[in-house]
Amino acid sequence: MSASNNLEAAANAVVEDIANDVKGVLGGKDLESNPQIKALRQRVEAKLAIARELASEKSKIAAKKAKDAASTANAYAHDEPWQIAAGALAVGVLVGLLLGRR
């Protein structure tokens, strides 16, 4: 579950970095008197709020998909242990052959 938390934290950090950069550019004292800049700042802040929400939802969806995939793989491994063992054996033999050629 920590991988999904890391993914969510990374996505949120990127959105926050972008938000801080944009706010830094639009937050200058000399720009406050311009009504177009004020309107732009409001639109940007509204869209950044939407982007934050979307990033959060995307990371939650990705975490759920990863959890479902891990659960499915775990169930398969418990249901078919001999197929997993045979696959691991085949990969081991292949790696052994490739390393033995050197």
Side-chain angles (χ1 to χ4, degrees), residues 5-96:
N5 289 340
N6 290 342
L7 177 63
E8 185 174 352
N12 290 335
V14 169
V15 171
E16 289 301 320
D17 285 344
I18 293 170
N20 290 334
D21 289 345
V22 171
K23 285 180 182 179
V25 170
L26 295 178
K29 296 288 182 191
D30 55 341
L31 297 177
E32 286 183 11
S33 61
N34 189 336
Q36 292 172 333
I37 296 297
K38 285 183 180 180
L40 176 63
R41 187 179 303 145
Q42 290 173 347
R43 288 193 313 265
V44 166
E45 286 180 4
K47 289 181 182 179
L48 284 172
I50 292 169
R52 284 185 189 108
E53 184 65 28
L54 289 174
S56 176
E57 288 300 314
K58 282 282 203 183
S59 64
K60 287 177 186 175
I61 290 169
K64 180 160 180 13
K65 285 183 179 181
K67 186 177 179 181
D68 291 345
S71 176
T72 301
N74 187 31
Y76 180 76
H78 281 91
D79 292 343
E80 305 290 340
W82 291 109
Q83 288 182 353
I84 300 296
L89 177 65
V91 169
V93 168
L94 182 63
V95 169

